[in-house]
Amino acid sequence: MRKPEFVYVTYIETTPEKLWEALTSSEFSKRYWFNTEVKSEWKIGSPFALVMDGTTTDVGEILEFDRPRRLSYTFHHVLSEAARKERPTKVVFVLEPHGKLVKLTLTHEDFEDGSVILDGISKGWPAILAGLKTLLESGTALAIPPVALGIEGFQ
Amino acid sequence: MSKPEFVYVIYIASTAEKVFKALTDERMSEQYWVGNRVVSDWKIGAPFALKLKREEKDVTGKVLEFDPPRRLAYSFRAAHAGMEAEPPSRVTFELEPQKDQVKLTIVHDKFEPGSKAFESVSRGWPLVLSSLKSYLETGKVLHAPWYETGNAQQGAA
C-alpha cells in the first residue's frame, strides 16, 4: 500500500524570490495563512514554528533551505494530545520558474498510519495556498473562514 | 489495487454563478484553458467536447450532471497521444460558496489502472484550475511557456 501523503501543485504569476519571501516571512504569512506567523532563523537544523494568534500550533526543524528553489522542514502539530504523540511529518516546497509563472509543488509526507492530522492538513493546505496565490497576484488577502474547511477543532 | 483518481480543491474569490459560467462557457474557457474550448448545450445526456487547440482529435463525452451553480459532471474520453483505447473517465465539479469565496472541488475518476489519461490530466488540471482562479480574480490568465512553444506534453488533457 502506498504511504499516505498530501501533494498539491499550483501555478502563481510571480517570481521564485517573491514566493520564497512569502513562504518564509512571518509578516507576509500572517496575511494568507489564517493569521499564522512562520517563525525560524532559517538555518539548516534551526527550530521552526507556526504561531497562530500568539499560540504555537506546530513546531519543527529546518531540513533544507536552498533559496529560492527548495525549502523543507519537519512538522509536528502540538495543539492536541493525540497529534503530539505522532512522530513529526515532513513538509517540502519546490519552486520551479516557468516563464512568468512559478510552479509550486507542496509535498507533506511521512505520516503514521491512521494519522490524526492528515485530514486536517489535506483540508488546510488548499486554502492556505489559494490565499498565497491571490495575495501574490492581486495584493488582496483571501478571507476564507476557518470553519469552512471542516477541520475538527479549527473554528 | 485501487483505481486512480485525481482530486483537487481550490478557493476562488468569486461567486458560484461566475465560476459555473466559466466552466461551461466556450469563450471563457478558451481564455483560461490554454486555448481549449468546452462545447456543449449542457443538457443531461447531450454531447460534450473539449476542443483542443493543439490536437486534431477533441476530447469527447456526455453531460452527466448539470445543476447550476452547484454541480457539473461529464464523461471524458481523450483520443490523442495514444489515449484513444481507454474507456471514458468522469469529471465532476462541485461548487460551494463560502463567504466571499467559492470552494471548487474537482474529482476526475473512473480511470483504469495504469491509465495514460490519468497521468496526463493529473499534470494538466493544476495549471488549468490555477489559471481559472487568476482569470476570475484578476482578469489575467496564466501563460505557461510550454504552451507558447507548442510542447503540450506537460499540459492539460
Side-chain angles (χ1 to χ4, degrees):
Chain A
M1 197 180 118
R2 205 159 53 158
K3 282 192 175 177
E5 62 173 15
F6 178 82
V7 180
Y8 194 90
V9 174
T10 187
Y11 293 82
I12 304 175
E13 189 169 310
T14 187
T15 64
E17 290 74 18
K18 284 181 187 163
L19 179 52
W20 187 272
E21 175 72 14
L23 291 171
T24 56
S25 153
S26 54
E27 276 310 301
F28 203 99
S29 69
K30 272 165 74 174
R31 300 182 63 202
Y32 68 86
W33 199 323
F34 298 107
N35 210 32
T36 294
E37 296 173 77
V38 291
K39 293 200 165 184
S40 181
E41 290 177 12
W42 306 109
K43 294 184 173 67
I44 309 285
S46 69
F48 164 84
L50 294 178
V51 181
M52 184 184 190
D53 299 324
T55 301
T56 299
T57 58
D58 306 87
V59 297
E61 183 184 312
I62 305 302
L63 300 174
E64 294 174 89
F65 189 82
D66 178 14
R67 185 198 306 255
R69 284 172 291 271
R70 225 180 129 86
L71 172 67
S72 79
Y73 39 76
T74 57
F75 183 102
H76 193 191
H77 192 62
V78 293
L79 272 192
S80 79
E81 181 72 30
R84 272 198 297 275
K85 284 181 182 162
E86 294 187 2
R87 69 161 179 261
T89 54
K90 181 182 173 186
V91 173
V92 182
F93 296 96
V94 177
L95 292 67
E96 299 168 77
H98 289 285
K100 288 182 180 174
L101 307 181
V102 181
K103 178 184 181 183
L104 174 64
T105 304
L106 162 81
T107 306
H108 197 153
E109 62 192 8
D110 208 15
F111 293 94
E112 288 181 12
D113 288 337
S115 165
V116 297
I117 71 159
L118 179 58
D119 179 66
I121 69 95
S122 300
K123 290 171 179 164
W125 281 121
I128 292 161
L129 297 174
L132 171 62
K133 175 174 162 68
T134 298
L135 186 53
L136 284 168
E137 291 184 353
S138 73
T140 308
L142 283 188
I144 299 170
V147 67
L149 304 185
I151 301 171
E152 202 175 323
F154 186 51
Q155 305 289 322
Chain B
M1 186 177 148
S2 61
K3 290 192 173 182
E5 66 171 20
F6 177 83
V7 180
Y8 194 89
V9 173
I10 192 163
Y11 292 81
I12 303 175
S14 187
T15 64
E17 288 74 16
K18 284 180 186 166
V19 174
F20 200 90
K21 168 96 171 153
L23 292 171
T24 52
D25 185 273
E26 180 177 352
R27 186 192 61 78
M28 290 172 81
S29 64
E30 187 174 20
Q31 296 293 310
Y32 66 81
W33 207 320
V34 295
N36 300 332
R37 293 176 288 131
V38 293
V39 178
S40 178
D41 65 11
W42 303 111
K43 294 183 170 61
I44 307 289
F48 160 82
L50 180 65
K51 303 265 184 194
L52 302 178
K53 188 178 177 184
R54 289 159 191 85
E55 303 290 341
E56 286 188 7
K57 292 180 178 172
D58 298 328
V59 172
T60 55
K62 277 185 181 169
V63 178
L64 303 174
E65 293 181 68
F66 185 80
D67 179 14
R70 284 173 289 271
R71 271 177 80 90
L72 173 70
Y74 41 76
S75 56
F76 185 101
R77 183 172 178 275
H80 64 283
M83 294 183 276
E84 53 272 15
E86 294 187 16
S89 54
R90 179 179 65 185
V91 180
T92 306
F93 298 96
E94 189 175 24
L95 292 71
E96 299 166 68
Q98 291 180 343
K99 211 171 166 187
D100 53 353
Q101 313 286 321
V102 178
K103 178 184 181 184
L104 173 63
T105 304
I106 173 172
V107 177
H108 197 153
D109 61 0
K110 292 191 177 279
F111 294 101
E112 295 294 304
S115 164
K116 190 174 174 185
F118 171 71
E119 298 297 328
S120 179
V121 305
S122 297
R123 286 193 302 270
W125 280 121
L127 177 61
V128 173
L129 298 169
S130 293
S131 184
L132 170 65
K133 175 176 164 71
S134 297
Y135 175 66
L136 288 171
E137 292 184 356
T138 70
K140 291 197 294 185
V141 298
L142 300 182
H143 287 287
W146 55 84
Y147 289 106
E148 311 306 321
T149 60
N151 175 10
Q153 287 306 309
Q154 296 179 72

PDB file of all heavy atoms in Angstrom, chain B residues 57-88:
ATOM      1  N   LYS B  57      -7.718  15.652 -32.703  1.00  0.00           N
ATOM      2  CA  LYS B  57      -8.873  14.964 -32.126  1.00  0.00           C
ATOM      3  C   LYS B  57      -9.256  15.581 -30.786  1.00  0.00           C
ATOM      4  O   LYS B  57      -8.413  15.749 -29.911  1.00  0.00           O
ATOM      5  CB  LYS B  57      -8.557  13.479 -31.961  1.00  0.00           C
ATOM      6  CG  LYS B  57      -8.422  12.770 -33.302  1.00  0.00           C
ATOM      7  CD  LYS B  57      -8.106  11.301 -33.101  1.00  0.00           C
ATOM      8  CE  LYS B  57      -8.016  10.613 -34.457  1.00  0.00           C
ATOM      9  NZ  LYS B  57      -7.514   9.226 -34.332  1.00  0.00           N
ATOM     10  N   ASP B  58     -10.545  15.889 -30.647  1.00  0.00           N
ATOM     11  CA  ASP B  58     -11.032  16.522 -29.424  1.00  0.00           C
ATOM     12  C   ASP B  58     -11.240  15.497 -28.319  1.00  0.00           C
ATOM     13  O   ASP B  58     -11.377  14.300 -28.580  1.00  0.00           O
ATOM     14  CB  ASP B  58     -12.373  17.208 -29.702  1.00  0.00           C
ATOM     15  CG  ASP B  58     -12.236  18.307 -30.740  1.00  0.00           C
ATOM     16  OD1 ASP B  58     -11.159  18.931 -30.798  1.00  0.00           O
ATOM     17  OD2 ASP B  58     -13.201  18.517 -31.496  1.00  0.00           O
ATOM     18  N   VAL B  59     -11.324  15.990 -27.107  1.00  0.00           N
ATOM     19  CA  VAL B  59     -11.836  15.180 -26.009  1.00  0.00           C
ATOM     20  C   VAL B  59     -13.358  15.197 -26.144  1.00  0.00           C
ATOM     21  O   VAL B  59     -13.954  16.259 -26.368  1.00  0.00           O
ATOM     22  CB  VAL B  59     -11.421  15.779 -24.648  1.00  0.00           C
ATOM     23  CG1 VAL B  59     -12.119  15.048 -23.507  1.00  0.00           C
ATOM     24  CG2 VAL B  59      -9.907  15.742 -24.487  1.00  0.00           C
ATOM     25  N   THR B  60     -13.989  14.027 -26.028  1.00  0.00           N
ATOM     26  CA  THR B  60     -15.441  13.969 -26.160  1.00  0.00           C
ATOM     27  C   THR B  60     -16.061  13.287 -24.944  1.00  0.00           C
ATOM     28  O   THR B  60     -15.375  12.579 -24.204  1.00  0.00           O
ATOM     29  CB  THR B  60     -15.853  13.194 -27.431  1.00  0.00           C
ATOM     30  OG1 THR B  60     -15.243  11.909 -27.385  1.00  0.00           O
ATOM     31  CG2 THR B  60     -15.412  13.933 -28.686  1.00  0.00           C
ATOM     32  N   GLY B  61     -17.359  13.515 -24.789  1.00  0.00           N
ATOM     33  CA  GLY B  61     -18.066  12.893 -23.671  1.00  0.00           C
ATOM     34  C   GLY B  61     -19.531  13.256 -23.709  1.00  0.00           C
ATOM     35  O   GLY B  61     -20.037  13.718 -24.738  1.00  0.00           O
ATOM     36  N   LYS B  62     -20.175  13.025 -22.578  1.00  0.00           N
ATOM     37  CA  LYS B  62     -21.595  13.374 -22.431  1.00  0.00           C
ATOM     38  C   LYS B  62     -21.795  14.105 -21.122  1.00  0.00           C
ATOM     39  O   LYS B  62     -21.080  13.848 -20.147  1.00  0.00           O
ATOM     40  CB  LYS B  62     -22.447  12.094 -22.392  1.00  0.00           C
ATOM     41  CG  LYS B  62     -22.770  11.550 -23.760  1.00  0.00           C
ATOM     42  CD  LYS B  62     -23.706  10.368 -23.658  1.00  0.00           C
ATOM     43  CE  LYS B  62     -23.990   9.847 -25.058  1.00  0.00           C
ATOM     44  NZ  LYS B  62     -24.674   8.535 -25.038  1.00  0.00           N
ATOM     45  N   VAL B  63     -22.783  14.984 -21.115  1.00  0.00           N
ATOM     46  CA  VAL B  63     -23.106  15.701 -19.879  1.00  0.00           C
ATOM     47  C   VAL B  63     -23.827  14.729 -18.938  1.00  0.00           C
ATOM     48  O   VAL B  63     -24.849  14.150 -19.299  1.00  0.00           O
ATOM     49  CB  VAL B  63     -23.996  16.934 -20.170  1.00  0.00           C
ATOM     50  CG1 VAL B  63     -24.369  17.631 -18.863  1.00  0.00           C
ATOM     51  CG2 VAL B  63     -23.284  17.874 -21.122  1.00  0.00           C
ATOM     52  N   LEU B  64     -23.292  14.547 -17.762  1.00  0.00           N
ATOM     53  CA  LEU B  64     -23.863  13.605 -16.791  1.00  0.00           C
ATOM     54  C   LEU B  64     -24.678  14.315 -15.718  1.00  0.00           C
ATOM     55  O   LEU B  64     -25.694  13.817 -15.267  1.00  0.00           O
ATOM     56  CB  LEU B  64     -22.739  12.797 -16.117  1.00  0.00           C
ATOM     57  CG  LEU B  64     -21.830  12.005 -17.059  1.00  0.00           C
ATOM     58  CD1 LEU B  64     -20.681  11.371 -16.280  1.00  0.00           C
ATOM     59  CD2 LEU B  64     -22.621  10.925 -17.797  1.00  0.00           C
ATOM     60  N   GLU B  65     -24.201  15.483 -15.292  1.00  0.00           N
ATOM     61  CA  GLU B  65     -24.929  16.265 -14.288  1.00  0.00           C
ATOM     62  C   GLU B  65     -24.811  17.731 -14.657  1.00  0.00           C
ATOM     63  O   GLU B  65     -23.738  18.182 -15.072  1.00  0.00           O
ATOM     64  CB  GLU B  65     -24.327  16.079 -12.881  1.00  0.00           C
ATOM     65  CG  GLU B  65     -24.481  14.702 -12.299  1.00  0.00           C
ATOM     66  CD  GLU B  65     -23.864  14.628 -10.898  1.00  0.00           C
ATOM     67  OE1 GLU B  65     -24.409  15.265  -9.971  1.00  0.00           O
ATOM     68  OE2 GLU B  65     -22.830  13.958 -10.760  1.00  0.00           O
ATOM     69  N   PHE B  66     -25.887  18.464 -14.494  1.00  0.00           N
ATOM     70  CA  PHE B  66     -25.872  19.896 -14.777  1.00  0.00           C
ATOM     71  C   PHE B  66     -26.833  20.560 -13.802  1.00  0.00           C
ATOM     72  O   PHE B  66     -28.039  20.574 -14.005  1.00  0.00           O
ATOM     73  CB  PHE B  66     -26.281  20.161 -16.234  1.00  0.00           C
ATOM     74  CG  PHE B  66     -26.160  21.609 -16.624  1.00  0.00           C
ATOM     75  CD1 PHE B  66     -24.925  22.150 -16.961  1.00  0.00           C
ATOM     76  CD2 PHE B  66     -27.271  22.439 -16.652  1.00  0.00           C
ATOM     77  CE1 PHE B  66     -24.804  23.484 -17.322  1.00  0.00           C
ATOM     78  CE2 PHE B  66     -27.153  23.784 -17.003  1.00  0.00           C
ATOM     79  CZ  PHE B  66     -25.921  24.300 -17.341  1.00  0.00           C
ATOM     80  N   ASP B  67     -26.290  21.048 -12.705  1.00  0.00           N
ATOM     81  CA  ASP B  67     -27.104  21.612 -11.635  1.00  0.00           C
ATOM     82  C   ASP B  67     -26.497  22.959 -11.243  1.00  0.00           C
ATOM     83  O   ASP B  67     -25.823  23.087 -10.226  1.00  0.00           O
ATOM     84  CB  ASP B  67     -27.103  20.623 -10.446  1.00  0.00           C
ATOM     85  CG  ASP B  67     -27.915  21.137  -9.269  1.00  0.00           C
ATOM     86  OD1 ASP B  67     -28.695  22.101  -9.438  1.00  0.00           O
ATOM     87  OD2 ASP B  67     -27.743  20.580  -8.160  1.00  0.00           O
ATOM     88  N   PRO B  68     -26.709  23.995 -12.104  1.00  0.00           N
ATOM     89  CA  PRO B  68     -26.076  25.288 -11.829  1.00  0.00           C
ATOM     90  C   PRO B  68     -26.630  25.926 -10.565  1.00  0.00           C
ATOM     91  O   PRO B  68     -27.836  25.854 -10.348  1.00  0.00           O
ATOM     92  CB  PRO B  68     -26.422  26.124 -13.071  1.00  0.00           C
ATOM     93  CG  PRO B  68     -27.601  25.463 -13.694  1.00  0.00           C
ATOM     94  CD  PRO B  68     -27.532  24.003 -13.306  1.00  0.00           C
ATOM     95  N   PRO B  69     -25.827  26.591  -9.730  1.00  0.00           N
ATOM     96  CA  PRO B  69     -24.369  26.661  -9.838  1.00  0.00           C
ATOM     97  C   PRO B  69     -23.679  25.740  -8.839  1.00  0.00           C
ATOM     98  O   PRO B  69     -22.726  26.157  -8.192  1.00  0.00           O
ATOM     99  CB  PRO B  69     -24.113  28.135  -9.485  1.00  0.00           C
ATOM    100  CG  PRO B  69     -25.124  28.395  -8.385  1.00  0.00           C
ATOM    101  CD  PRO B  69     -26.313  27.490  -8.659  1.00  0.00           C
ATOM    102  N   ARG B  70     -24.167  24.522  -8.724  1.00  0.00           N
ATOM    103  CA  ARG B  70     -23.644  23.635  -7.675  1.00  0.00           C
ATOM    104  C   ARG B  70     -22.804  22.473  -8.197  1.00  0.00           C
ATOM    105  O   ARG B  70     -21.727  22.195  -7.666  1.00  0.00           O
ATOM    106  CB  ARG B  70     -24.802  23.051  -6.850  1.00  0.00           C
ATOM    107  CG  ARG B  70     -25.399  24.016  -5.872  1.00  0.00           C
ATOM    108  CD  ARG B  70     -26.632  23.428  -5.210  1.00  0.00           C
ATOM    109  NE  ARG B  70     -27.733  23.343  -6.170  1.00  0.00           N
ATOM    110  CZ  ARG B  70     -28.604  24.334  -6.374  1.00  0.00           C
ATOM    111  NH1 ARG B  70     -28.510  25.443  -5.691  1.00  0.00           N
ATOM    112  NH2 ARG B  70     -29.563  24.191  -7.265  1.00  0.00           N
ATOM    113  N   ARG B  71     -23.313  21.762  -9.191  1.00  0.00           N
ATOM    114  CA  ARG B  71     -22.614  20.556  -9.656  1.00  0.00           C
ATOM    115  C   ARG B  71     -22.643  20.454 -11.167  1.00  0.00           C
ATOM    116  O   ARG B  71     -23.640  20.766 -11.824  1.00  0.00           O
ATOM    117  CB  ARG B  71     -23.274  19.290  -9.094  1.00  0.00           C
ATOM    118  CG  ARG B  71     -22.731  18.855  -7.753  1.00  0.00           C
ATOM    119  CD  ARG B  71     -23.503  17.646  -7.247  1.00  0.00           C
ATOM    120  NE  ARG B  71     -23.046  16.416  -7.872  1.00  0.00           N
ATOM    121  CZ  ARG B  71     -22.064  15.656  -7.379  1.00  0.00           C
ATOM    122  NH1 ARG B  71     -21.448  16.009  -6.276  1.00  0.00           N
ATOM    123  NH2 ARG B  71     -21.699  14.546  -7.991  1.00  0.00           N
ATOM    124  N   LEU B  72     -21.529  19.964 -11.706  1.00  0.00           N
ATOM    125  CA  LEU B  72     -21.408  19.731 -13.140  1.00  0.00           C
ATOM    126  C   LEU B  72     -20.575  18.474 -13.312  1.00  0.00           C
ATOM    127  O   LEU B  72     -19.552  18.308 -12.644  1.00  0.00           O
ATOM    128  CB  LEU B  72     -20.681  20.925 -13.786  1.00  0.00           C
ATOM    129  CG  LEU B  72     -20.312  20.798 -15.261  1.00  0.00           C
ATOM    130  CD1 LEU B  72     -21.570  20.832 -16.134  1.00  0.00           C
ATOM    131  CD2 LEU B  72     -19.354  21.924 -15.675  1.00  0.00           C
ATOM    132  N   ALA B  73     -21.031  17.581 -14.184  1.00  0.00           N
ATOM    133  CA  ALA B  73     -20.225  16.381 -14.442  1.00  0.00           C
ATOM    134  C   ALA B  73     -20.355  15.986 -15.900  1.00  0.00           C
ATOM    135  O   ALA B  73     -21.417  16.161 -16.516  1.00  0.00           O
ATOM    136  CB  ALA B  73     -20.672  15.229 -13.541  1.00  0.00           C
ATOM    137  N   TYR B  74     -19.249  15.524 -16.469  1.00  0.00           N
ATOM    138  CA  TYR B  74     -19.301  14.974 -17.827  1.00  0.00           C
ATOM    139  C   TYR B  74     -18.322  13.809 -17.946  1.00  0.00           C
ATOM    140  O   TYR B  74     -17.359  13.707 -17.189  1.00  0.00           O
ATOM    141  CB  TYR B  74     -19.012  16.038 -18.887  1.00  0.00           C
ATOM    142  CG  TYR B  74     -17.914  17.050 -18.622  1.00  0.00           C
ATOM    143  CD1 TYR B  74     -16.564  16.698 -18.740  1.00  0.00           C
ATOM    144  CD2 TYR B  74     -18.229  18.378 -18.292  1.00  0.00           C
ATOM    145  CE1 TYR B  74     -15.568  17.647 -18.535  1.00  0.00           C
ATOM    146  CE2 TYR B  74     -17.232  19.330 -18.077  1.00  0.00           C
ATOM    147  CZ  TYR B  74     -15.905  18.964 -18.208  1.00  0.00           C
ATOM    148  OH  TYR B  74     -14.912  19.892 -18.002  1.00  0.00           O
ATOM    149  N   SER B  75     -18.619  12.933 -18.913  1.00  0.00           N
ATOM    150  CA  SER B  75     -17.649  11.888 -19.213  1.00  0.00           C
ATOM    151  C   SER B  75     -16.583  12.483 -20.115  1.00  0.00           C
ATOM    152  O   SER B  75     -16.800  13.526 -20.761  1.00  0.00           O
ATOM    153  CB  SER B  75     -18.327  10.664 -19.838  1.00  0.00           C
ATOM    154  OG  SER B  75     -19.049  11.024 -20.980  1.00  0.00           O
ATOM    155  N   PHE B  76     -15.433  11.835 -20.176  1.00  0.00           N
ATOM    156  CA  PHE B  76     -14.245  12.483 -20.722  1.00  0.00           C
ATOM    157  C   PHE B  76     -13.403  11.410 -21.394  1.00  0.00           C
ATOM    158  O   PHE B  76     -12.846  10.531 -20.737  1.00  0.00           O
ATOM    159  CB  PHE B  76     -13.500  13.120 -19.544  1.00  0.00           C
ATOM    160  CG  PHE B  76     -12.295  13.962 -19.871  1.00  0.00           C
ATOM    161  CD1 PHE B  76     -12.376  15.346 -19.887  1.00  0.00           C
ATOM    162  CD2 PHE B  76     -11.051  13.361 -20.116  1.00  0.00           C
ATOM    163  CE1 PHE B  76     -11.255  16.127 -20.136  1.00  0.00           C
ATOM    164  CE2 PHE B  76      -9.928  14.147 -20.385  1.00  0.00           C
ATOM    165  CZ  PHE B  76     -10.037  15.534 -20.383  1.00  0.00           C
ATOM    166  N   ARG B  77     -13.341  11.471 -22.713  1.00  0.00           N
ATOM    167  CA  ARG B  77     -12.551  10.480 -23.441  1.00  0.00           C
ATOM    168  C   ARG B  77     -11.588  11.196 -24.380  1.00  0.00           C
ATOM    169  O   ARG B  77     -12.000  11.873 -25.317  1.00  0.00           O
ATOM    170  CB  ARG B  77     -13.468   9.556 -24.241  1.00  0.00           C
ATOM    171  CG  ARG B  77     -12.716   8.464 -24.963  1.00  0.00           C
ATOM    172  CD  ARG B  77     -13.681   7.462 -25.577  1.00  0.00           C
ATOM    173  NE  ARG B  77     -12.928   6.456 -26.304  1.00  0.00           N
ATOM    174  CZ  ARG B  77     -12.525   6.610 -27.568  1.00  0.00           C
ATOM    175  NH1 ARG B  77     -12.845   7.695 -28.239  1.00  0.00           N
ATOM    176  NH2 ARG B  77     -11.827   5.660 -28.159  1.00  0.00           N
ATOM    177  N   ALA B  78     -10.310  11.060 -24.102  1.00  0.00           N
ATOM    178  CA  ALA B  78      -9.279  11.684 -24.933  1.00  0.00           C
ATOM    179  C   ALA B  78      -8.915  10.733 -26.068  1.00  0.00           C
ATOM    180  O   ALA B  78      -8.821   9.524 -25.868  1.00  0.00           O
ATOM    181  CB  ALA B  78      -8.045  11.999 -24.095  1.00  0.00           C
ATOM    182  N   ALA B  79      -8.724  11.281 -27.259  1.00  0.00           N
ATOM    183  CA  ALA B  79      -8.443  10.441 -28.434  1.00  0.00           C
ATOM    184  C   ALA B  79      -7.093  10.782 -29.061  1.00  0.00           C
ATOM    185  O   ALA B  79      -6.790  10.360 -30.170  1.00  0.00           O
ATOM    186  CB  ALA B  79      -9.561  10.608 -29.471  1.00  0.00           C
ATOM    187  N   HIS B  80      -6.281  11.562 -28.350  1.00  0.00           N
ATOM    188  CA  HIS B  80      -4.968  11.927 -28.873  1.00  0.00           C
ATOM    189  C   HIS B  80      -3.874  11.287 -28.023  1.00  0.00           C
ATOM    190  O   HIS B  80      -4.150  10.749 -26.947  1.00  0.00           O
ATOM    191  CB  HIS B  80      -4.812  13.455 -28.893  1.00  0.00           C
ATOM    192  CG  HIS B  80      -4.833  14.072 -27.531  1.00  0.00           C
ATOM    193  ND1 HIS B  80      -5.992  14.264 -26.824  1.00  0.00           N
ATOM    194  CD2 HIS B  80      -3.828  14.520 -26.734  1.00  0.00           C
ATOM    195  CE1 HIS B  80      -5.699  14.822 -25.659  1.00  0.00           C
ATOM    196  NE2 HIS B  80      -4.385  14.974 -25.572  1.00  0.00           N
ATOM    197  N   ALA B  81      -2.684  11.325 -28.513  1.00  0.00           N
ATOM    198  CA  ALA B  81      -1.490  10.906 -27.754  1.00  0.00           C
ATOM    199  C   ALA B  81      -1.606   9.501 -27.176  1.00  0.00           C
ATOM    200  O   ALA B  81      -1.199   9.242 -26.044  1.00  0.00           O
ATOM    201  CB  ALA B  81      -1.187  11.930 -26.648  1.00  0.00           C
ATOM    202  N   GLY B  82      -2.197   8.592 -27.955  1.00  0.00           N
ATOM    203  CA  GLY B  82      -2.221   7.196 -27.531  1.00  0.00           C
ATOM    204  C   GLY B  82      -3.240   6.873 -26.458  1.00  0.00           C
ATOM    205  O   GLY B  82      -3.166   5.838 -25.811  1.00  0.00           O
ATOM    206  N   MET B  83      -4.232   7.763 -26.266  1.00  0.00           N
ATOM    207  CA  MET B  83      -5.214   7.539 -25.209  1.00  0.00           C
ATOM    208  C   MET B  83      -6.555   7.035 -25.741  1.00  0.00           C
ATOM    209  O   MET B  83      -7.497   6.823 -24.976  1.00  0.00           O
ATOM    210  CB  MET B  83      -5.423   8.832 -24.406  1.00  0.00           C
ATOM    211  CG  MET B  83      -4.170   9.239 -23.620  1.00  0.00           C
ATOM    212  SD  MET B  83      -4.415  10.699 -22.601  1.00  0.00           S
ATOM    213  CE  MET B  83      -4.140  12.002 -23.793  1.00  0.00           C
ATOM    214  N   GLU B  84      -6.637   6.844 -27.095  1.00  0.00           N
ATOM    215  CA  GLU B  84      -7.936   6.532 -27.696  1.00  0.00           C
ATOM    216  C   GLU B  84      -8.491   5.166 -27.280  1.00  0.00           C
ATOM    217  O   GLU B  84      -9.695   4.943 -27.347  1.00  0.00           O
ATOM    218  CB  GLU B  84      -7.874   6.631 -29.230  1.00  0.00           C
ATOM    219  CG  GLU B  84      -6.774   5.818 -29.881  1.00  0.00           C
ATOM    220  CD  GLU B  84      -5.458   6.602 -29.977  1.00  0.00           C
ATOM    221  OE1 GLU B  84      -5.331   7.635 -29.294  1.00  0.00           O
ATOM    222  OE2 GLU B  84      -4.570   6.154 -30.710  1.00  0.00           O
ATOM    223  N   ALA B  85      -7.620   4.268 -26.838  1.00  0.00           N
ATOM    224  CA  ALA B  85      -8.095   2.930 -26.483  1.00  0.00           C
ATOM    225  C   ALA B  85      -8.703   2.876 -25.081  1.00  0.00           C
ATOM    226  O   ALA B  85      -9.333   1.888 -24.717  1.00  0.00           O
ATOM    227  CB  ALA B  85      -6.942   1.930 -26.585  1.00  0.00           C
ATOM    228  N   GLU B  86      -8.520   3.945 -24.324  1.00  0.00           N
ATOM    229  CA  GLU B  86      -9.005   3.902 -22.942  1.00  0.00           C
ATOM    230  C   GLU B  86     -10.495   4.220 -22.864  1.00  0.00           C
ATOM    231  O   GLU B  86     -11.001   5.038 -23.622  1.00  0.00           O
ATOM    232  CB  GLU B  86      -8.242   4.929 -22.086  1.00  0.00           C
ATOM    233  CG  GLU B  86      -6.769   4.582 -21.944  1.00  0.00           C
ATOM    234  CD  GLU B  86      -6.052   5.515 -20.963  1.00  0.00           C
ATOM    235  OE1 GLU B  86      -6.732   6.214 -20.191  1.00  0.00           O
ATOM    236  OE2 GLU B  86      -4.809   5.534 -21.001  1.00  0.00           O
ATOM    237  N   PRO B  87     -11.215   3.588 -21.930  1.00  0.00           N
ATOM    238  CA  PRO B  87     -12.627   3.927 -21.752  1.00  0.00           C
ATOM    239  C   PRO B  87     -12.769   5.348 -21.211  1.00  0.00           C
ATOM    240  O   PRO B  87     -11.801   5.900 -20.677  1.00  0.00           O
ATOM    241  CB  PRO B  87     -13.117   2.895 -20.739  1.00  0.00           C
ATOM    242  CG  PRO B  87     -11.898   2.436 -20.020  1.00  0.00           C
ATOM    243  CD  PRO B  87     -10.758   2.561 -20.982  1.00  0.00           C
ATOM    244  N   PRO B  88     -13.956   5.932 -21.350  1.00  0.00           N
ATOM    245  CA  PRO B  88     -14.134   7.298 -20.854  1.00  0.00           C
ATOM    246  C   PRO B  88     -13.945   7.366 -19.334  1.00  0.00           C
ATOM    247  O   PRO B  88     -14.312   6.436 -18.629  1.00  0.00           O
ATOM    248  CB  PRO B  88     -15.588   7.636 -21.211  1.00  0.00           C
ATOM    249  CG  PRO B  88     -16.059   6.575 -22.112  1.00  0.00           C
ATOM    250  CD  PRO B  88     -15.188   5.375 -21.929  1.00  0.00           C
TER     251      PRO B  88
END
